[in-house]
Amino acid sequence: MTQAQAEDTRVDWEAALVQRACTGDTRAFERLYREHAGRVYGLCLRMTRDAHLAEDCTQETFINAWRALPRFETRSSLSTWLHRIAVNVSLAKRRKASPVAPSPDDEEGTGGACGWTLETPVEVQEIEAAIGALPDGARDALILHALYGYSHVEAAQMLGVAEGTCKAQLHRARRLLRERLHVEVG
Amino acid sequence: MSGTGSADERRVGSLRELSPAVEPPRDLWPQIEARINAERRSAPAAQPRPARARPLPPRWLAAAAVVASVAVGVWIGRSLLPAARPGVQSPISAARATLAGAPTALDVAYVSDRRYQRDRAALMKSLQARLAALPQPARAKVMASLAAMQRAKQDLESALGKDPGNALLQELLVNTYQDEMRVLTDVQASDAGRGI
């Protein structure tokens, strides 16, 4: 089976599972959970920086998805839809956990699109720690754009900010990572 | 950040090399399922479930039972017996045949049951007359449901052709056959102004 065929199968399989879950089939929904839980949890964990909060967010994401599943349009990507829910849930939980207004510094910079290549390879653990130490806004934009591959527009929509703000946050994230990792992030 | 996985000493040259997925430290599904079930019990109308099915007349219950028994037989046969039995069409070739318009092994297993064949034929025969007697909104709903199930069967058969060993796909296909029978029996039972 070629990779393209495998992808087609996965999509067909997912559409069938969504269809079954919409009729109340929790087994089908569990299969969807198993397929997407890792990426959803990874997103929640990086956004909240708290394993317990990330677990709560992941559960909330899938429960909200279950409720809203009949409104999901199968033409769009289920993973993107789940990630949108996960971002909303994580932002809400984070605000509730520490209701601090974003600092004016969050609006700085006008950086545009950039690559995320490191001049010198760095250990995964070290990068994750550096990402975890970023301010919330910069970290959110970085996670969605550089790790999950969403465009500036998509990331901005998910985060509920202007596209320019998202680009500025990415610029800031790049600068802070460069300072913390002592390598060029180009 | 706490818990993005165990200490990973792998070196990466790009942020895109980081895996977006992080496995949760424990299985979160049991709690999700418990909450879903709790919500279902407290507010069934809010759940993504189809409209409540009315009790079926005994004759159609019997027809549904035949479908269920055939489905179980097919299910067991497909689950326990290897696909490459001599003289039996493989799932891949069966799916290819479906795409070309010929019946699949599963289709053959269904239609080879005389009772199922007879009951389904009777239902299909009276379908148009029953549909004509329905109010327009109900008729549109039934036709849309049947069309959706037809598409689902085709999609599932196609997916099974690519992934013949997928037990869930097999189960979904059997369920779709049963769903179709359920709709047909509901239409049949919609006389005497009971509606769908």
Side-chain angles (χ1 to χ4, degrees):
Chain A
M1 188 186 295
T2 66
Q3 192 172 348
Q5 283 173 324
E7 181 64 20
D8 282 350
T9 303
R10 200 186 69 79
V11 172
D12 289 346
W13 181 68
E14 194 165 88
L17 287 173
V18 168
Q19 202 170 22
R20 290 303 305 172
C22 279
T23 67
D25 185 340
T26 50
R27 275 193 64 200
F29 192 64
E30 181 183 358
R31 295 296 288 258
L32 292 172
Y33 163 81
R34 304 269 171 226
E35 184 74 18
H36 292 277
R39 286 171 69 89
V40 168
Y41 177 75
L43 179 55
C44 296
L45 180 62
R46 289 178 174 113
M47 285 188 71
T48 61
R49 292 183 289 189
D50 182 301
H52 293 297
L53 211 51
E55 285 184 20
D56 287 349
C57 290
T58 304
Q59 289 180 348
E60 204 67 43
T61 297
F62 281 97
I63 289 163
N64 289 350
W66 168 262
R67 290 177 188 142
L69 207 53
R71 295 192 295 278
F72 170 68
E73 292 181 8
T74 46
R75 283 168 298 175
S76 56
S77 157
L78 182 68
S79 64
T80 302
W81 186 67
L82 287 171
H83 294 165
R84 281 179 194 278
I85 298 174
V87 167
N88 286 337
V89 170
S90 298
L91 289 174
K93 289 263 184 195
R94 202 167 66 192
R95 273 195 293 270
K96 203 173 170 185
S98 56
V100 179
S103 78
D105 194 34
D106 280 356
E107 300 296 328
E108 74 172 26
T110 56
C114 61
W116 294 98
T117 305
L118 305 170
E119 198 174 62
T120 310
V122 177
E123 282 183 11
V124 169
Q125 201 184 9
E126 198 181 344
I127 299 184
E128 291 282 10
I131 293 171
L134 291 172
D136 286 348
R139 193 175 68 255
D140 295 344
L142 174 80
I143 292 164
L144 290 174
H145 179 68
L147 267 71
Y148 281 76
Y150 290 111
S151 68
H152 294 299
V153 176
E154 289 169 325
Q157 281 175 350
M158 284 181 170
L159 294 168
V161 299
E163 187 184 345
T165 305
C166 185
K167 285 182 178 176
Q169 294 287 17
L170 282 165
H171 178 75
R172 186 181 183 207
R174 184 189 190 190
R175 177 171 57 76
L176 291 171
L177 280 182
R178 188 171 56 222
E179 287 171 9
R180 285 177 181 147
L181 296 172
H182 306 293
V183 295
E184 189 58 38
V185 183
Chain B
M1 189 184 340
S2 57
T4 43
S6 57
D8 192 342
E9 295 179 3
R10 186 167 53 94
R11 297 177 84 83
V12 294
S14 163
L15 294 191
R16 293 202 191 277
E17 288 177 42
L18 292 177
S19 170
V22 178
E23 284 311 308
R26 64 191 177 87
D27 187 4
L28 304 176
W29 174 252
Q31 279 180 278
I32 294 170
E33 187 180 29
R35 280 187 58 185
I36 287 171
N37 288 334
E39 285 190 15
R40 272 174 149 181
R41 281 192 296 272
S42 60
Q47 300 311 306
R49 294 187 66 80
R52 186 179 62 84
R54 283 177 290 102
L56 295 173
R59 184 179 163 204
W60 302 112
L61 279 176
V66 170
V67 175
S69 62
V70 172
V72 170
V74 170
W75 174 248
I76 291 170
R78 289 172 66 89
S79 300
L80 300 183
L81 299 176
R85 283 173 299 169
V88 175
Q89 195 178 22
S90 78
I92 290 178
S93 59
R96 283 183 184 143
T98 299
L99 295 174
T104 63
L106 192 59
D107 289 331
V108 170
Y110 266 100
V111 297
S112 65
D113 184 277
R114 262 188 273 170
R115 284 182 64 194
Y116 169 75
Q117 196 177 23
R118 191 186 57 226
D119 288 340
R120 190 175 185 280
L123 289 168
M124 293 303 289
K125 193 176 174 185
S126 60
L127 178 65
Q128 288 306 323
R130 294 289 182 192
L131 282 175
L134 289 175
Q136 170 57 25
R139 184 163 63 241
K141 194 174 162 187
V142 170
M143 289 174 73
S145 296
L146 289 173
M149 279 181 274
Q150 186 60 31
R151 283 196 303 274
K153 283 195 290 186
Q154 287 169 349
D155 288 348
L156 286 163
E157 284 163 356
S158 171
L160 267 172
K162 295 168 189 164
D163 187 9
N166 191 315
L168 184 69
L169 284 176
Q170 294 170 358
E171 186 184 348
L172 289 171
L173 185 57
V174 168
N175 287 347
T176 308
Y177 273 93
Q178 289 177 290
D179 287 345
E180 183 193 53
M181 198 63 173
R182 202 169 293 126
V183 170
L184 292 173
T185 53
D186 271 2
V187 172
Q188 189 68 30
S190 65
D191 57 348
R194 284 189 295 172
I196 295 290

